[in-house]
Amino acid sequence: MNEKMAREAAVRLLEEKGNRVTDISKGQGVPKFSRILMQKDTSTLSCVIKTSTGGRISFTRDTDGSYKVLRDAEYVIHVRPAVNDPTMVRVTMFDRKTVVQAFDANHVALVEHKMEHMPSWVNPDEEKGWRLTGSGFGRNALWSETVPLAPAAVDNTASATQANVADQPLKLTIAQAKQGLAENFGVAPDKIEIIVRG
């Protein structure tokens, strides 16, 4: 899955839902649209967009117990390939509290196994094994939709046909030509004289 296209697909979906999306991603190595502001009516919400091929996502835990990037967002949008269709992606939105609870549960499991130095990985889908404790939080999603990975192709057939028609010379009788010129210049058609030379 192309991660750039996946984030753009999520942004298109948000815009289709009536939101104005502003990219606030900055810093070296920070992908475009990985951090956004989503504005609708008078509300402005900060979101993190995470992509994954297999479903698992990660946030780095800071020394104060918060999660970098996640602590600055109100929502997390997760984008992953749709099942059995590489042309589609599944876009799911979570509130921060749901995601923090999943990562806190994972951190507790890491501490219990004396592996707290390891990064936390959790999956919205249920996965077994202590290392993936916290997975399965997808059931608490705010919403989830499947959308095309690539933008819809623009049908240029009609415009091409119109262009071809415009390229064709207009065929008029002398009377039609006189009428058109008369209307254009604001005179009577019988005041127009057309001379055709071969």
Side-chain angles (χ1 to χ4, degrees):
M1 179 183 71
N2 183 306
E3 293 183 5
K4 177 179 179 288
M5 290 178 68
R7 285 188 293 273
E8 289 171 351
V11 169
R12 280 195 304 277
L13 175 59
L14 293 173
E15 290 175 339
E16 287 168 9
K17 289 177 173 288
N19 299 286
R20 186 159 61 89
V21 177
T22 305
D23 178 32
I24 57 169
S25 310
K26 55 187 172 185
Q28 189 172 2
V30 178
K32 185 176 181 181
F33 291 126
S34 58
R35 300 170 196 174
I36 63 168
L37 289 179
M38 189 171 65
Q39 295 167 287
K40 189 172 186 178
D41 301 325
T42 58
S43 64
T44 301
L45 307 172
S46 57
C47 304
V48 176
I49 298 180
K50 283 284 196 176
T51 62
S52 66
T53 302
R56 297 174 189 168
I57 61 172
S58 180
F59 285 102
T60 303
R61 187 179 173 92
D62 211 339
T63 52
D64 64 0
S66 67
Y67 298 92
K68 295 177 181 178
V69 181
L70 179 57
R71 64 185 169 211
D72 300 320
E74 295 164 275
Y75 295 93
V76 175
I77 296 171
H78 181 231
V79 190
R80 64 181 299 180
V83 178
N84 300 324
D85 190 346
T87 68
M88 306 290 281
V89 288
R90 189 78 178 158
V91 182
T92 308
M93 188 171 185
F94 302 93
D95 62 31
R96 175 176 52 198
K97 182 179 177 183
T98 295
V99 180
V100 167
Q101 286 174 343
F103 276 90
D104 280 347
N106 187 269
H107 180 71
V108 168
L110 290 174
V111 170
E112 287 174 352
H113 288 82
K114 298 184 177 10
M115 300 286 281
E116 59 268 29
H117 61 283
M118 298 289 289
S120 287
W121 287 92
V122 295
N123 192 333
D125 295 339
E126 191 70 48
E127 284 198 82
K128 301 298 182 188
W130 72 265
R131 187 70 179 81
L132 295 164
T133 299
S135 293
F137 63 92
R139 60 185 170 271
N140 298 318
L142 298 174
W143 53 259
S144 190
E145 293 186 34
T146 300
V147 297
L149 175 61
V154 177
D155 183 5
N156 292 321
T157 308
S159 56
T161 303
Q162 290 171 351
N164 289 338
V165 169
D167 290 341
Q168 300 297 320
L170 188 58
K171 296 179 181 179
L172 300 173
T173 65
I174 295 292
Q176 290 170 328
K178 281 186 175 185
Q179 183 65 40
L181 289 168
E183 290 173 6
N184 190 49
F185 291 106
V187 297
D190 60 356
K191 301 291 184 190
I192 302 288
E193 185 179 340
I194 297 175
I195 298 171
V196 180
R197 292 190 174 93

